[in-house]
Structure formats: C-alpha cells, structure tokens
C-alpha cells in the first residue's frame, strides 16, 4: 500500500503547488470536489492495473495476495472519495451528456461495491446474496463504469483544465485504467503464462478434502518455487473461471499436486464433478511466501488446509537445512490433520524441524502464548502463517503485542473477493 499512498500524496502535492483557477460563489466546493474526484480516479485506476495480475508488480506489494488486498482497499477508498465528490460538487444540468454519464458511473460503481461488501455485512447479506462466480462476472463491469467516468470528465465544465500538470495526471490515470481494463478483458488470456494439464488422480483425504494430481499434457510444464500458488481453470461447466490454489508438490516433481477443501460453491463443485481424465489449464506461478528468505529461527503455523505451502516446502527441502523450525498444525477435528504421517517423516529426516499438532476440539484453540511456551523465545524468529484470515489476523495481533516486528511476520491471504 506504500506505493498507492505515494501516488495519492504526489497528486495532492500537485494540487497544492499548482492549484486550478476558480471563481464564483461555489469556487471552494468546486475545487475540493474535483480534487477528491481526481484522487478517486487515481485509486480506481490503480485497482484496474492491479487486477491485471501483472507479475512484475508482485515485488512492490510483497506478493499477488497483497496486491489483491491493496486492490480491494484502494477500490473501497476510491468509492468513498467518489461519494464525497458527488456530495461536494455543485451539480448543474447545463451539460446534456456530462451529468447523466456521471450519474451512471457513480450508480454502477456503487452497485458493484455493494455486491462486493454485501456478503461481509450481516444486514446487507439478507438482501444481497451472490456467489463467487456471479460476483466475478459482475465485477468485470467496473471498467465500463470507469469509462463512463472518463466521458463525464470530458463533457462537463471543470476547473482542473486550467492547471496543466494535475489535468495531465488525471487524463493519464483514466488512460492507464481503461488500458488495463481492456487488457484484462481482451488480451490477458493470451498473454498470461498458461500450461495444459490433465487430471490423473483424484484422492479423497477426508469427507471435505481431496488431493488432485495433475499430469502435464505437453513437454513444457509449469515452473514454480515451493510455496507458490497457481490459478486453475477446470474444463468443466461451471468450473471454467480461474481459481487460486497453492501447489503442495515440490517443483522437481513431475506431477502437480493440489489439495482442495470443499469450503465454497466453487470448491464443492470441484469435489463433486472432477474426475481423472478431465483437462485443466494452469496459470502461474504467483506468490512470494518463501521461508528461504527468512532468518535461521522460524515458526510455521498452518491452519487446516493452510498446510499446503508448508508441504511444498518440506517436499522440496534439502537433506540438511540451516533453519531451525517449529511447525504448528492446528485443526478443529483429528481427521482434518492431513498428511500428518508425511510431516512426521520429514521431522525424522530433519533434526532441526520440530512439528506440533493441535486439535482444537480436544485441546482448545492454538494461541500465541501456547506457541511461545512450546517453541521458546521469539527473539529473531521469522513467523510464517497460512490459513483462515481470522486466524492469521489474530496471530498477527498477538505476535505484534509481544514485540515481534511486522517485517518478520509473513503470511498468505486468499481473500481475493
């Protein structure tokens, strides 16, 4: 988010140093309304650029999962500023095309924001219910309403046109956002790195989890680092939209292994419909969760299905490792402790790896004090987490209260909606 904040700060500085010329009884409202509108346009343009999933941007945000988190927060901030613009600007009906295009842009973006945040708000959820597939298809229209905003800017009388540099920045933001939208809509499927695979084995691990083994259909196969994730498109009706899954196999393995829990409408359909022989398109790889970049003392925390990146790490780990690791696997029920025999075998091979399992229905929830009591002093420790967002947030707050620097707390978040 530092990159986004810097863009907003630069725009604010330009408006202060090179203010537009305005006169009349509503001059202050006009300038302030246009300033917040220009900032909103910059933020929406950033959201559209981040939605391209451009891999060269990952290092600036710390991974694609954080890019999507920045995408979501930037879009929310842009909508709040857009609302402020509507409230501040002195509306007139003097422009036959400008006013309607502005209302269309605002109303369309407002509806899409409501569809996005609705499932998270109990009151709104009673009225607005939309599954992931429906949300993803409707979310594509945000670029269209952004384009209506560009038309609105061109058709109305505005004071920003009297100051060259802020006006140039505003136009550039619109052009960049529309170009990113058209790229995502029309070109991305042909440019993003994709690889054809075939479902070879579907293995049921428990009542809610399967492991899917994919075999490459061509000689060229996906290259990735252990711990990364991919977007998978199953060639079945209702499963063609790309969905992120962490790869649990090692990069050297011939087959790609995905561990999938039935936790939503999409993954439940995967459990029900996917069989050996089905074609799959894999896009990637993405993500920057890599324990090899951390210090010698590490704590790994896996919540349920969040064990997958740690499995990839263990399967790729050399016979000797310079890291001293405590791996905590926490699950609700005992039958959810997946791959426990393999994890124990990895601990037997690596004396500096200690593994701990926690079944919360029997031993209570895993907490930061319990981790410290088991693993020892946190001084200098790098902490890696993967699991439910609520679990990650809780542990992050707990470790920060104990003085663990934010720079040594690493996690992956699959909340792309």
């Amino acid at each position: 988010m530092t990159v986004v904040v810097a863009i907003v700060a630069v725009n604010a500085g330009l408006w202060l140093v090179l203010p537009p010329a305005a006169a009349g009884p509503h001059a202050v409202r006009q300038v302030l309304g246009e300033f917040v509108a220009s900032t909103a346009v910059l933020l929406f343009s950033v959201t559209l650029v981040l939605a391209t999933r451009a891999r060269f941007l990952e290092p600036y945000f710390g991974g694609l999962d954080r890019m999507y988190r920045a995408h979501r927060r930037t879009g929310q901030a842009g909508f709040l500023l857009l609302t402020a613009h509507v409230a501040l600007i002195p509306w007139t009906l003097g422009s036959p095309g400008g006013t309607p295009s502005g209302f269309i842009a605002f109303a369309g973006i407002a509806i899409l924001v409501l569809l996005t945040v609705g499932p998270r708000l109990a009151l709104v959820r009673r009225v607005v219910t939309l599954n992931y597939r429906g949300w993803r298809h409707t979310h594509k229209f945000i670029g269209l309403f952004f384009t209506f905003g560009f038309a609105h800017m061109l058709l109305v009388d505005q004071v920003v046109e009297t100051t060259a540099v802020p006006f140039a920045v505003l136009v550039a933001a619109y052009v960049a956002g529309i170009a990113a939208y058209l790229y995502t809509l029309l070109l991305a499927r042909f440019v993003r790195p994709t690889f054809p695979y075939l479902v070879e084995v579907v293995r049921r691990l428990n009542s809610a989890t399967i492991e899917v083994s994919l075999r490459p259909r061509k000689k060229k196969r996906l290259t990735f680092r252990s711990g990364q994730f991919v977007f998978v498109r199953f060639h079945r009706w209702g499963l063609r939209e790309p969905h992120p899954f962490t790869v649990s196999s090692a990069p050297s393995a011939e087959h790609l292994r995905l561990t999938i829990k039935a936790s939503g409408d999409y993954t439940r359909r995967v459990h029900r419909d996917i069989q050996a022989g089905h074609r799959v398109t894999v896009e990637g790889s993405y993500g920057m969760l890599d324990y090899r970049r951390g210090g010698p003392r590490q704590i790994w925390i896996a919540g349920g299905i969040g064990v997958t990146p740690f499995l990839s790490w263990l399967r790729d780990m050399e016979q000797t490792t310079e890291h001293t690791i405590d791996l905590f696997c926490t699950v609700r029920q005992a039958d959810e402790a997946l791959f426990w025999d393999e994890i124990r075998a990895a601990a037997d091979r690596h004396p500096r790896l200690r593994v701990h399992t926690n079944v919360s229905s029997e031993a209570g929830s895993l907490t930061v004090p319990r981790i410290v009591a088991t693993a020892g002093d946190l001084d200098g420790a790098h902490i890696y987490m993967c699991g439910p967002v609520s679990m990650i947030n809780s542990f992050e707050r707990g470790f920060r209260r104990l003085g663990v620097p934010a720079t040594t707390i690493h996690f992956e978040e699959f909340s792309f909606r």
Side-chain angles (χ1 to χ4, degrees):
M1 287 296 291
T2 304
V3 178
V4 180
V5 172
I7 292 173
V8 172
V10 169
N11 184 59
L14 290 174
W15 277 73
L16 286 173
V17 175
L18 303 167
H26 302 296
V28 174
R29 282 181 58 192
Q30 185 75 32
V31 172
L32 187 58
E34 289 191 26
F35 165 68
V36 297
S38 71
T39 307
V41 169
L42 278 171
L43 293 176
F44 279 124
S45 180
V46 169
T47 65
L48 292 167
V49 170
L50 295 181
T52 63
R53 296 208 290 264
R55 292 198 290 178
F56 74 88
L57 292 174
E58 281 197 87
Y60 298 100
F61 291 85
L64 185 65
D65 57 317
R66 283 165 172 76
M67 280 174 60
Y68 269 94
R69 183 168 61 173
H71 165 90
R72 185 171 62 249
R73 292 178 176 176
T74 302
Q76 292 169 352
F79 175 69
L80 291 176
L81 289 174
L82 184 61
T83 304
H85 167 72
V86 173
L88 284 169
I89 205 74
W91 286 89
T92 66
L93 300 178
S95 172
T99 302
S101 59
F103 276 122
I104 291 172
F106 176 71
I109 292 174
I111 291 171
L112 294 177
V113 169
L114 182 64
L115 292 175
T116 300
V117 303
R120 297 184 176 91
L121 304 174
L123 184 61
V124 179
R125 193 164 54 237
R126 297 175 184 176
V127 181
V128 179
T129 56
L130 193 68
N131 60 25
Y132 176 81
R133 185 185 180 194
W135 168 83
R136 185 173 173 274
H137 286 306
T138 57
H139 202 59
K140 293 178 181 179
F141 286 102
I142 194 161
L144 177 62
F145 295 119
F146 183 80
T147 306
F148 269 101
F150 188 36
H152 169 70
M153 185 207 75
L154 295 175
L155 291 170
V156 297
D157 294 327
Q158 51 185 350
V159 296
V160 70
E161 294 177 2
T162 64
T163 178
V165 178
F167 180 64
V169 170
L170 178 61
V171 173
Y174 268 119
V175 171
I178 293 171
Y181 172 63
L182 293 176
Y183 166 83
T184 303
L185 193 65
L186 303 175
L187 299 177
R189 69 186 70 181
F190 305 108
V191 177
R192 289 171 180 160
T194 59
F195 304 86
Y197 276 78
L198 202 68
V199 176
E200 181 142 292
V201 178
V202 179
R203 186 161 68 97
R204 188 163 296 279
L205 304 178
N206 59 31
S207 60
T209 312
I210 60 174
E211 182 184 62
V212 179
S213 179
L214 305 178
R215 174 172 56 83
R217 293 170 53 209
K218 296 182 179 179
K219 289 184 179 180
K220 188 177 181 181
R221 60 188 181 90
L222 174 80
T223 57
F224 65 96
R225 296 189 308 273
S226 56
Q228 287 192 302
F229 63 92
V230 295
F231 284 84
V232 176
R233 186 193 303 267
F234 293 99
H235 291 227
R236 305 294 296 173
W237 184 87
L239 298 176
R240 295 184 182 276
E241 65 264 21
H243 195 284
F245 294 106
T246 299
V247 180
S248 56
S249 51
S252 58
E254 177 68 20
H255 289 68
L256 206 63
R257 295 166 69 177
L258 308 174
T259 307
I260 302 173
K261 182 177 181 180
S263 57
D265 56 299
Y266 179 90
T267 48
R268 281 193 290 268
R269 286 199 301 272
V270 172
H271 275 238
R272 184 185 66 228
D273 298 339
I274 290 304
Q275 299 176 12
H278 289 169
R279 291 186 300 117
V280 180
T281 298
V282 177
E283 175 201 325
S285 53
Y286 298 98
M288 298 184 66
L289 194 67
D290 190 347
Y291 78 96
R292 288 161 294 196
R293 298 183 179 185
R297 175 79 178 94
Q298 298 190 2
I299 294 173
W300 299 356
I301 305 172
I305 197 66
V307 73
T308 48
F310 303 112
L311 278 174
S312 184
W313 288 351
L314 293 176
R315 289 166 175 168
D316 189 44
M317 190 175 285
E318 301 289 342
Q319 290 299 319
T320 58
T321 177
E322 62 181 10
H323 300 95
T324 300
I325 302 165
D326 280 278
L327 169 58
F328 293 85
C329 298
T330 180
V331 294
R332 291 190 181 92
Q333 305 294 333
D335 67 344
E336 297 176 1
L338 306 174
F339 304 101
W340 187 242
D341 291 340
E342 182 180 350
I343 293 172
R344 288 296 310 169
D348 292 338
R349 294 194 307 271
H350 302 287
R352 302 180 72 176
L353 169 66
R354 297 191 302 171
V355 296
H356 320 275
T357 186
N358 180 80
V359 181
S360 58
S361 62
E362 300 173 3
S365 298
L366 183 66
T367 62
V368 169
R370 289 178 63 183
I371 290 173
V372 174
T374 303
D377 188 14
L378 298 178
D379 186 34
H382 278 246
I383 298 164
Y384 292 85
M385 301 183 287
C386 188
V389 174
S390 58
M391 182 201 82
I392 290 174
N393 292 341
S394 176
F395 279 126
E396 184 182 22
R397 289 191 298 268
F399 286 122
R400 295 289 288 126
R401 280 196 293 267
L402 293 180
V404 177
T407 54
T408 63
I409 301 175
H410 317 274
F411 56 87
E412 200 164 61
E413 181 183 333
F414 279 117
S415 182
F416 288 172
R417 179 170 174 171

